[in-house]
Amino acid sequence: MKLALVTSTGGHLLEMVNLKPAWEGHERFFVTFPLEDAKTLLQDERVVWAYHPTNRSLKNLGRNTWLAWKVLRKERPDVVVSTGAGVAVPFLWIGKLLGMKTVYLECITRIHSVSMAGKMILPVVDKFYGQWEEIAELHRKIDYEGRNV
C-alpha cells in the first residue's frame, strides 16, 4: 500500500511521527512545510514541500491545491492520511476526487470542537478520527479509537 502522509509542521507533524508503527512498513511520501522540524524529523523520508503559511491564506490554498493535483496524480497513493491542518484540506479533497481513500486524525487538543480544517474535510473524508470520546459525539462521521500519544 502506498501512503501520502500530509501534515503541517509542529504538533501535527509530531502526531504523524508518533504513528510510525502504522505507516513504517508501507511505501510512502510526506507532504509538509520546509521548516527545520520537518527537515530534521523527515531527513530519511521522501518529502514534497508544500506552501506555507496556510492560515487564512487564499494564495497558498490555491498553490497547495495545484500541488495536490500534480503530486497525487503523479504518485497515485492508495490512501491520503493527514493529521492536519490547513495543508490537509486540498490534499484530502483532491485525493477523494481522484478516487483515493482518505483518513483524517483530528488534533489531540480538539476535545469539544472540530478544527476549521476538520470541518472543511468532514464532507469528503472516508475516516475521521477524534482523539477524545467527547469529539466523537459531535458528528456521526467522527470515530473514537483512543489517543495516539
Side-chain angles (χ1 to χ4, degrees):
M1 180 172 10
K2 185 174 185 179
L3 305 173
L5 304 174
V6 181
T7 178
S8 295
T9 49
H12 298 285
L13 177 59
L14 286 175
E15 284 189 320
M16 186 65 79
V17 169
N18 283 333
L19 292 170
K20 187 174 183 175
W23 53 254
E24 69 182 332
H26 300 284
E27 181 182 356
R28 64 194 172 269
F29 64 94
F30 282 80
V31 177
T32 192
F33 307 132
L35 301 178
E36 288 309 310
D37 61 338
K39 290 176 182 177
T40 300
L41 289 168
L42 303 177
Q43 63 185 342
D44 297 326
E45 297 290 342
R46 195 158 61 96
V47 182
V48 173
W49 300 118
Y51 299 96
H52 75 292
T54 56
N55 293 354
R56 292 165 180 71
S57 172
L58 292 177
K59 176 183 177 184
N60 286 337
L61 174 62
R63 293 166 80 187
N64 285 328
T65 299
W66 179 244
L67 181 67
W69 179 254
K70 290 189 311 184
V71 168
L72 295 177
R73 287 184 65 224
K74 177 184 175 199
E75 295 288 340
R76 289 288 184 198
D78 299 296
V79 185
V80 180
V81 181
S82 183
T83 52
V87 71
V89 176
F91 276 85
L92 290 168
W93 271 87
I94 297 294
K96 190 64 177 176
L97 178 70
L98 294 174
M100 298 159 188
K101 295 293 181 190
T102 54
V103 178
Y104 183 76
L105 176 65
E106 184 65 279
C107 181
I108 196 165
T109 62
R110 290 298 178 152
I111 301 170
H112 300 290
S113 65
V114 178
S115 65
M116 182 181 293
K119 290 174 187 173
M120 294 172 76
I121 59 91
L122 195 55
V124 298
V125 73
D126 291 306
K127 292 297 280 182
F128 187 117
Y129 292 103
Q131 297 186 60
W132 296 92
E133 294 162 334
E134 293 87 343
I135 199 167
E137 296 170 0
L138 297 178
H139 194 281
R140 63 176 172 71
K141 201 170 182 179
I142 302 175
D143 292 321
Y144 170 75
E145 299 288 335
R147 285 181 275 290
N148 74 327
V149 283

